[in-house]
Amino acid sequence: MPAIIYWSVPIFIGLLLLELAWFHWRPDPQALGYEKRDALASLSMGLGNLVTAAAFKTVSIGLIVLVYEYRLWTVPVEAWWAWALLILGDDFCYYWFHRFGHRVRLGWAAHVNHHSSEYYNLSTALRQSWTGPVLKVWFYLPLALIGFHPLMIVTGQAISLLYQFWIHTEAIGRLPRPLEALMNTPSHHRVHHGSNPQYLDRNYAGIFIIWDRLFGTFTPEQEKVRYGLTKPLNTYNPVRIAFHEWVSMLTHAWRARHWKNKLKYLLMPPDWDPSEPDEPQLHLQTRG
């Protein structure tokens, strides 16, 4: 899986250059384009993600292999239908991992950096979490229990990540209706990156938008999308981008007087705040 991602880096760069050329030669007054410092911050986050993912790779694959030893069935690696089921199952796991990243503050602390840019272009796709790999693996263990080989699972994760790169753009409008009904598209994912109230916590899809339609989290693109967090982070420092919400979350948990509230600051949604009058008034985290 890491090899697939590493070999894709030149392709990512080539597409970035093509998008830059598109913004230059066919400027869209409604599109934001690029901001150099913002794009460099996203590239830094992407490089950091490659490092942390590689560092955690042994533990991650080890957990998948361990669960695979207790598999209920053995899915044949050589069967085409097994790979089709894998992509579908991988995307189902991703949907719940992504939803966890928005609706549980512990997950949001790891995922918020991906939403911190107020621009929406292919460089935004590279603004990946430095701590997300530690949380992600747990959502894919059911695939190993079912009987998918560990190498199939990590390959499926790579395919999902590669697919999601191209949907981070304003250069592509809405696609034909059948594709918009089935697949995650730039239009659907622009909604996901919106800080407009009606766009918050919507369209968690990775490859297939069907999960959002099935579980009631789908919203079509209508109003012009405002990108970023509800309260802008106002920094291009990759370290602050990566860890600001961890600091905020742990500070809130530390200052909470009741143990149940300390735990809830980790496990409740990002906008949760205790109702007890004796709890200190804390500044809630940003949303996006």
Side-chain angles (χ1 to χ4, degrees), residues 169-200:
T169 186
E170 293 185 291
I172 300 174
R174 292 193 178 181
L175 299 177
R177 185 172 297 179
L179 289 176
E180 294 284 346
L182 177 64
M183 308 300 294
N184 194 14
T185 65
S187 176
H188 296 329
H189 205 60
R190 284 193 288 268
V191 166
H192 179 70
H193 276 259
S195 60
N196 315 48
Q198 70 270 33
Y199 290 160
L200 292 176

Side-chain angles (χ1 to χ4, degrees), residues 21-281:
W22 183 87
F23 280 124
H24 178 73
W25 295 108
R26 297 187 60 186
D28 182 348
Q30 299 298 316
L32 295 175
Y34 278 76
E35 201 283 332
K36 183 173 67 174
R37 293 170 298 174
D38 181 83
L40 289 175
S42 295
L43 291 173
S44 298
M45 295 301 299
L47 291 173
N49 173 264
L50 289 178
V51 172
T52 57
F56 190 67
K57 178 182 66 173
T58 301
V59 175
S60 177
I61 295 179
L63 286 171
I64 294 173
V65 169
L66 178 63
V67 174
Y68 183 71
E69 291 298 318
Y70 298 93
R71 60 191 179 276
L72 301 177
W73 301 278
T74 299
V75 179
V77 176
E78 68 279 1
W80 69 266
W81 55 264
W83 287 93
L85 287 178
L86 169 73
I87 298 302
L88 194 64
D90 173 273
D91 204 54
F92 181 76
C93 293
Y94 176 83
Y95 171 86
W96 289 106
F97 166 63
H98 198 180
R99 189 165 176 171
F100 165 83
H102 280 257
R103 300 307 300 151
V104 176
R105 194 174 179 188
L106 185 66
W108 180 241
H111 183 60
V112 62
N113 66 269
H114 186 61
H115 288 262
S116 60
S117 175
E118 296 179 49
Y119 293 81
Y120 192 74
N121 50 59
L122 292 177
S123 74
T124 309
L126 305 179
R127 189 174 286 225
Q128 295 293 319
S129 173
W130 293 0
T131 52
V134 179
L135 301 174
K136 185 176 183 179
V137 61
W138 304 99
F139 288 83
Y140 291 82
L141 295 181
L143 294 178
L145 185 62
I146 290 172
F148 289 100
H149 192 278
L151 291 180
M152 294 181 72
I153 295 173
V154 295
T155 301
Q157 291 176 345
I159 291 171
S160 176
L161 186 62
L162 292 176
Y163 178 89
Q164 292 180 62
F165 176 76
W166 76 277
I167 60 177
H168 290 81
T169 186
E170 293 185 291
I172 300 174
R174 292 193 178 181
L175 299 177
R177 185 172 297 179
L179 289 176
E180 294 284 346
L182 177 64
M183 308 300 294
N184 194 14
T185 65
S187 176
H188 296 329
H189 205 60
R190 284 193 288 268
V191 166
H192 179 70
H193 276 259
S195 60
N196 315 48
Q198 70 270 33
Y199 290 160
L200 292 176
D201 301 328
R202 312 300 290 177
N203 298 5
Y204 298 115
I207 297 177
F208 302 105
I209 200 66
I210 55 176
W211 312 119
D212 287 288
R213 296 184 184 276
L214 181 63
F215 297 115
T217 53
F218 174 73
T219 293
E221 183 180 25
Q222 296 173 330
E223 175 183 304
K224 175 64 177 175
V225 180
R226 298 191 306 271
Y227 302 108
L229 303 173
T230 53
K231 181 179 179 181
L233 191 56
N234 295 324
T235 184
Y236 301 109
N237 185 326
V239 175
R240 187 182 173 200
I241 293 172
F243 296 111
H244 76 277
E245 180 58 18
W246 286 100
V247 172
S248 175
M249 177 186 69
L250 294 175
T251 299
H252 287 179
W254 175 261
R255 292 180 180 176
R257 293 191 175 97
H258 302 289
W259 279 102
K260 66 175 183 178
N261 289 337
K262 291 180 182 292
L263 187 61
K264 285 182 176 181
Y265 269 123
L266 305 181
L267 302 180
M268 294 296 285
D271 53 359
W272 178 84
D273 201 25
S275 58
E276 288 86 346
D278 60 330
E279 286 286 9
Q281 296 296 311

